[in-house]
Amino acid sequence: MKKAIILALLGATTLAGCAQKSNEVQATYVSPLTYQHLSCRQIDTEARRVAARTAELSGVQDKNAQDDAAATAVAIVLFWPAAFFIKGDKANAAELARLKGEMDALEVRSNEKNCGIVFRADPEAPAAAV
């Protein structure tokens, strides 16, 4: 009984610290007014910059989630001190959420200005294309 309680607490503690996968990170709101002064060409350039940084951080976030999942499995099954290696990089997730919000705001502004920029949700495709 005591062992089951310890394992349950350890499991809850380790899962709370795990990094999310990049597709699970929700965008934070960024006002489209931030980009009201940009031309369509500038919106396209900024969208490409944001998309590149988002792709880079998504890779880091997914790697963190994968590493945390492995450490959690080891901690639960074999060796509980492995739970201390679970990072859950919240700073990376926060920046990723902000960038996703920026991309949403750029898309709104692009649509309002009828720029004709196509924004894709497919992570393998370029985020903005003219």
Short mmCIF file of all heavy atoms in Angstrom, two decimals, residues 14-27 57-69 86-97 100:
data_model
loop_
_atom_site.label_atom_id
_atom_site.label_comp_id
_atom_site.label_asym_id
_atom_site.label_seq_id
_atom_site.Cartn_x
_atom_site.Cartn_y
_atom_site.Cartn_z
N THR A 14 6.17 13.70 -11.67
CA THR A 14 6.95 13.68 -12.91
C THR A 14 6.11 14.12 -14.10
O THR A 14 6.60 14.84 -14.96
CB THR A 14 7.55 12.29 -13.18
OG1 THR A 14 6.50 11.33 -13.19
CG2 THR A 14 8.58 11.93 -12.17
N LEU A 15 4.85 13.74 -14.15
CA LEU A 15 4.00 14.14 -15.26
C LEU A 15 3.74 15.64 -15.25
O LEU A 15 3.60 16.26 -16.30
CB LEU A 15 2.68 13.37 -15.24
CG LEU A 15 2.80 11.89 -15.57
CD1 LEU A 15 1.44 11.21 -15.43
CD2 LEU A 15 3.35 11.67 -16.96
N ALA A 16 3.69 16.24 -14.09
CA ALA A 16 3.47 17.69 -13.99
C ALA A 16 4.63 18.47 -14.58
O ALA A 16 4.45 19.58 -15.07
CB ALA A 16 3.24 18.08 -12.53
N GLY A 17 5.82 17.93 -14.56
CA GLY A 17 6.98 18.64 -15.05
C GLY A 17 7.33 18.35 -16.49
O GLY A 17 8.26 18.92 -17.03
N CYS A 18 6.58 17.48 -17.14
CA CYS A 18 6.91 17.09 -18.51
C CYS A 18 6.64 18.21 -19.50
O CYS A 18 5.69 18.95 -19.37
CB CYS A 18 6.08 15.88 -18.93
SG CYS A 18 6.61 14.37 -18.12
N ALA A 19 7.50 18.29 -20.51
CA ALA A 19 7.31 19.26 -21.58
C ALA A 19 6.19 18.80 -22.50
O ALA A 19 6.02 17.61 -22.74
CB ALA A 19 8.61 19.41 -22.37
N GLN A 20 5.42 19.76 -23.01
CA GLN A 20 4.36 19.47 -23.97
C GLN A 20 4.97 19.28 -25.35
O GLN A 20 6.02 19.84 -25.65
CB GLN A 20 3.40 20.64 -24.08
CG GLN A 20 2.60 20.96 -22.86
CD GLN A 20 1.79 22.23 -23.10
OE1 GLN A 20 2.36 23.29 -23.25
NE2 GLN A 20 0.48 22.11 -23.13
N LYS A 21 4.28 18.53 -26.21
CA LYS A 21 4.68 18.46 -27.60
C LYS A 21 4.35 19.80 -28.24
O LYS A 21 3.44 20.50 -27.79
CB LYS A 21 3.92 17.34 -28.32
CG LYS A 21 4.32 15.96 -27.85
CD LYS A 21 3.55 14.91 -28.61
CE LYS A 21 3.94 13.54 -28.11
NZ LYS A 21 3.15 12.48 -28.75
N SER A 22 5.07 20.16 -29.29
CA SER A 22 4.90 21.47 -29.90
C SER A 22 3.47 21.71 -30.41
O SER A 22 2.96 22.82 -30.31
CB SER A 22 5.89 21.67 -31.05
OG SER A 22 5.66 20.73 -32.07
N ASN A 23 2.82 20.67 -30.91
CA ASN A 23 1.46 20.85 -31.42
C ASN A 23 0.43 20.99 -30.30
O ASN A 23 -0.72 21.33 -30.57
CB ASN A 23 1.08 19.71 -32.38
CG ASN A 23 1.06 18.36 -31.71
OD1 ASN A 23 1.52 18.20 -30.59
ND2 ASN A 23 0.55 17.37 -32.42
N GLU A 24 0.84 20.75 -29.06
CA GLU A 24 -0.06 20.92 -27.92
C GLU A 24 0.07 22.30 -27.28
O GLU A 24 -0.73 22.67 -26.45
CB GLU A 24 0.24 19.85 -26.86
CG GLU A 24 -0.04 18.44 -27.34
CD GLU A 24 0.47 17.38 -26.37
OE1 GLU A 24 1.23 17.71 -25.44
OE2 GLU A 24 0.13 16.21 -26.56
N VAL A 25 1.09 23.06 -27.67
CA VAL A 25 1.29 24.40 -27.13
C VAL A 25 0.30 25.33 -27.82
O VAL A 25 0.29 25.44 -29.05
CB VAL A 25 2.74 24.89 -27.36
CG1 VAL A 25 2.90 26.33 -26.93
CG2 VAL A 25 3.72 23.99 -26.63
N GLN A 26 -0.55 25.98 -27.04
CA GLN A 26 -1.57 26.88 -27.57
C GLN A 26 -1.00 28.28 -27.79
O GLN A 26 -0.19 28.76 -27.01
CB GLN A 26 -2.75 26.97 -26.60
CG GLN A 26 -3.47 25.65 -26.38
CD GLN A 26 -4.10 25.12 -27.65
OE1 GLN A 26 -4.77 25.85 -28.37
NE2 GLN A 26 -3.85 23.85 -27.95
N ALA A 27 -1.44 28.92 -28.86
CA ALA A 27 -1.01 30.28 -29.17
C ALA A 27 -1.50 31.25 -28.10
O ALA A 27 -2.62 31.11 -27.61
CB ALA A 27 -1.55 30.70 -30.54
N LEU A 57 11.88 26.26 -32.79
CA LEU A 57 11.46 26.02 -31.41
C LEU A 57 10.58 24.78 -31.29
O LEU A 57 10.60 24.10 -30.26
CB LEU A 57 10.72 27.24 -30.86
CG LEU A 57 11.59 28.41 -30.48
CD1 LEU A 57 10.73 29.56 -29.97
CD2 LEU A 57 12.61 28.03 -29.43
N SER A 58 9.81 24.48 -32.33
CA SER A 58 8.97 23.28 -32.31
C SER A 58 9.84 22.03 -32.21
O SER A 58 9.52 21.09 -31.48
CB SER A 58 8.09 23.21 -33.55
OG SER A 58 7.12 24.23 -33.52
N GLY A 59 10.94 22.03 -32.94
CA GLY A 59 11.87 20.91 -32.86
C GLY A 59 12.46 20.75 -31.47
O GLY A 59 12.55 19.64 -30.94
N VAL A 60 12.85 21.87 -30.87
CA VAL A 60 13.39 21.83 -29.51
C VAL A 60 12.33 21.35 -28.53
O VAL A 60 12.60 20.51 -27.66
CB VAL A 60 13.91 23.24 -29.09
CG1 VAL A 60 14.26 23.29 -27.61
CG2 VAL A 60 15.11 23.64 -29.95
N GLN A 61 11.10 21.86 -28.69
CA GLN A 61 10.01 21.48 -27.78
C GLN A 61 9.70 20.00 -27.90
O GLN A 61 9.51 19.32 -26.90
CB GLN A 61 8.77 22.32 -28.09
CG GLN A 61 7.67 22.18 -27.07
CD GLN A 61 8.02 22.75 -25.72
OE1 GLN A 61 8.84 23.66 -25.61
NE2 GLN A 61 7.42 22.23 -24.68
N ASP A 62 9.66 19.49 -29.13
CA ASP A 62 9.38 18.06 -29.32
C ASP A 62 10.50 17.20 -28.75
O ASP A 62 10.25 16.13 -28.19
CB ASP A 62 9.15 17.75 -30.80
CG ASP A 62 7.82 18.30 -31.30
OD1 ASP A 62 6.92 18.56 -30.48
OD2 ASP A 62 7.69 18.48 -32.53
N LYS A 63 11.73 17.64 -28.88
CA LYS A 63 12.87 16.91 -28.30
C LYS A 63 12.76 16.89 -26.77
O LYS A 63 12.98 15.86 -26.14
CB LYS A 63 14.19 17.57 -28.73
CG LYS A 63 15.43 16.94 -28.12
CD LYS A 63 15.79 15.63 -28.82
CE LYS A 63 17.16 15.16 -28.41
NZ LYS A 63 17.15 14.07 -27.47
N ASN A 64 12.40 18.04 -26.17
CA ASN A 64 12.22 18.09 -24.72
C ASN A 64 11.11 17.14 -24.27
O ASN A 64 11.25 16.44 -23.27
CB ASN A 64 11.89 19.52 -24.26
CG ASN A 64 13.07 20.44 -24.33
OD1 ASN A 64 14.21 20.01 -24.45
ND2 ASN A 64 12.81 21.73 -24.28
N ALA A 65 10.00 17.13 -25.02
CA ALA A 65 8.88 16.25 -24.67
C ALA A 65 9.30 14.78 -24.77
O ALA A 65 8.95 13.96 -23.91
CB ALA A 65 7.69 16.53 -25.59
N GLN A 66 10.06 14.46 -25.81
CA GLN A 66 10.53 13.08 -26.00
C GLN A 66 11.48 12.68 -24.87
O GLN A 66 11.37 11.59 -24.31
CB GLN A 66 11.24 12.97 -27.35
CG GLN A 66 11.71 11.58 -27.67
CD GLN A 66 12.42 11.55 -29.04
OE1 GLN A 66 12.60 12.57 -29.70
NE2 GLN A 66 12.82 10.36 -29.44
N ASP A 67 12.41 13.56 -24.53
CA ASP A 67 13.36 13.27 -23.44
C ASP A 67 12.64 13.11 -22.11
O ASP A 67 12.96 12.23 -21.32
CB ASP A 67 14.41 14.38 -23.33
CG ASP A 67 15.36 14.41 -24.51
OD1 ASP A 67 15.36 13.46 -25.32
OD2 ASP A 67 16.11 15.40 -24.62
N ASP A 68 11.66 13.98 -21.85
CA ASP A 68 10.91 13.91 -20.60
C ASP A 68 10.08 12.63 -20.52
O ASP A 68 9.97 12.02 -19.46
CB ASP A 68 10.00 15.13 -20.44
CG ASP A 68 10.77 16.38 -20.07
OD1 ASP A 68 12.00 16.30 -19.88
OD2 ASP A 68 10.14 17.45 -19.95
N ALA A 69 9.51 12.22 -21.65
CA ALA A 69 8.72 10.98 -21.66
C ALA A 69 9.62 9.78 -21.35
O ALA A 69 9.23 8.89 -20.59
CB ALA A 69 8.03 10.81 -23.01
N ILE A 86 13.80 15.25 -15.50
CA ILE A 86 12.67 15.73 -16.30
C ILE A 86 12.68 17.24 -16.26
O ILE A 86 12.56 17.85 -15.21
CB ILE A 86 11.36 15.13 -15.77
CG1 ILE A 86 11.42 13.62 -15.91
CG2 ILE A 86 10.17 15.72 -16.50
CD1 ILE A 86 10.31 12.88 -15.23
N LYS A 87 12.82 17.87 -17.44
CA LYS A 87 13.02 19.31 -17.50
C LYS A 87 11.73 20.09 -17.68
O LYS A 87 11.48 21.03 -16.97
CB LYS A 87 13.95 19.72 -18.63
CG LYS A 87 14.83 18.69 -19.17
CD LYS A 87 15.64 19.19 -20.31
CE LYS A 87 16.07 17.97 -21.05
NZ LYS A 87 16.93 17.96 -22.04
N GLY A 88 10.95 19.79 -18.71
CA GLY A 88 9.75 20.56 -18.97
C GLY A 88 10.06 22.03 -19.20
O GLY A 88 9.71 22.87 -18.40
N ASP A 89 10.74 22.36 -20.27
CA ASP A 89 11.21 23.71 -20.55
C ASP A 89 10.04 24.67 -20.81
O ASP A 89 9.55 24.78 -21.92
CB ASP A 89 12.16 23.67 -21.75
CG ASP A 89 12.85 24.99 -21.98
OD1 ASP A 89 12.51 25.98 -21.32
OD2 ASP A 89 13.74 25.04 -22.84
N LYS A 90 9.63 25.38 -19.78
CA LYS A 90 8.49 26.29 -19.89
C LYS A 90 8.84 27.57 -20.65
O LYS A 90 7.98 28.15 -21.29
CB LYS A 90 7.96 26.61 -18.50
CG LYS A 90 7.42 25.38 -17.80
CD LYS A 90 6.51 25.73 -16.67
CE LYS A 90 6.07 24.54 -15.88
NZ LYS A 90 5.48 23.46 -16.59
N ALA A 91 10.09 28.00 -20.61
CA ALA A 91 10.49 29.21 -21.35
C ALA A 91 10.37 28.97 -22.85
O ALA A 91 9.89 29.83 -23.60
CB ALA A 91 11.91 29.61 -20.97
N ASN A 92 10.79 27.82 -23.31
CA ASN A 92 10.68 27.47 -24.73
C ASN A 92 9.22 27.41 -25.14
O ASN A 92 8.84 27.94 -26.19
CB ASN A 92 11.37 26.13 -24.98
CG ASN A 92 11.51 25.83 -26.46
OD1 ASN A 92 12.30 26.44 -27.15
ND2 ASN A 92 10.71 24.89 -26.94
N ALA A 93 8.38 26.78 -24.32
CA ALA A 93 6.95 26.67 -24.63
C ALA A 93 6.30 28.05 -24.66
O ALA A 93 5.45 28.31 -25.52
CB ALA A 93 6.26 25.77 -23.61
N ALA A 94 6.70 28.93 -23.76
CA ALA A 94 6.13 30.29 -23.74
C ALA A 94 6.50 31.06 -25.00
O ALA A 94 5.66 31.76 -25.59
CB ALA A 94 6.60 31.04 -22.50
N GLU A 95 7.74 30.94 -25.44
CA GLU A 95 8.16 31.62 -26.67
C GLU A 95 7.44 31.03 -27.87
O GLU A 95 7.01 31.76 -28.78
CB GLU A 95 9.67 31.55 -26.87
CG GLU A 95 10.13 32.35 -28.06
CD GLU A 95 11.63 32.36 -28.28
OE1 GLU A 95 12.37 31.76 -27.48
OE2 GLU A 95 12.05 32.97 -29.28
N LEU A 96 7.29 29.72 -27.89
CA LEU A 96 6.58 29.06 -28.99
C LEU A 96 5.12 29.53 -29.03
O LEU A 96 4.59 29.82 -30.11
CB LEU A 96 6.66 27.54 -28.82
CG LEU A 96 6.01 26.69 -29.90
CD1 LEU A 96 6.59 27.00 -31.28
CD2 LEU A 96 6.19 25.21 -29.57
N ALA A 97 4.48 29.64 -27.89
CA ALA A 97 3.09 30.12 -27.82
C ALA A 97 2.99 31.56 -28.33
O ALA A 97 2.06 31.90 -29.07
CB ALA A 97 2.58 30.02 -26.39
N LYS A 100 3.34 31.56 -32.15
CA LYS A 100 2.09 31.10 -32.77
C LYS A 100 1.06 32.21 -32.77
O LYS A 100 0.32 32.39 -33.74
CB LYS A 100 1.56 29.85 -32.05
CG LYS A 100 2.36 28.60 -32.33
CD LYS A 100 1.75 27.40 -31.62
CE LYS A 100 2.45 26.11 -31.97
NZ LYS A 100 1.78 24.94 -31.35
#
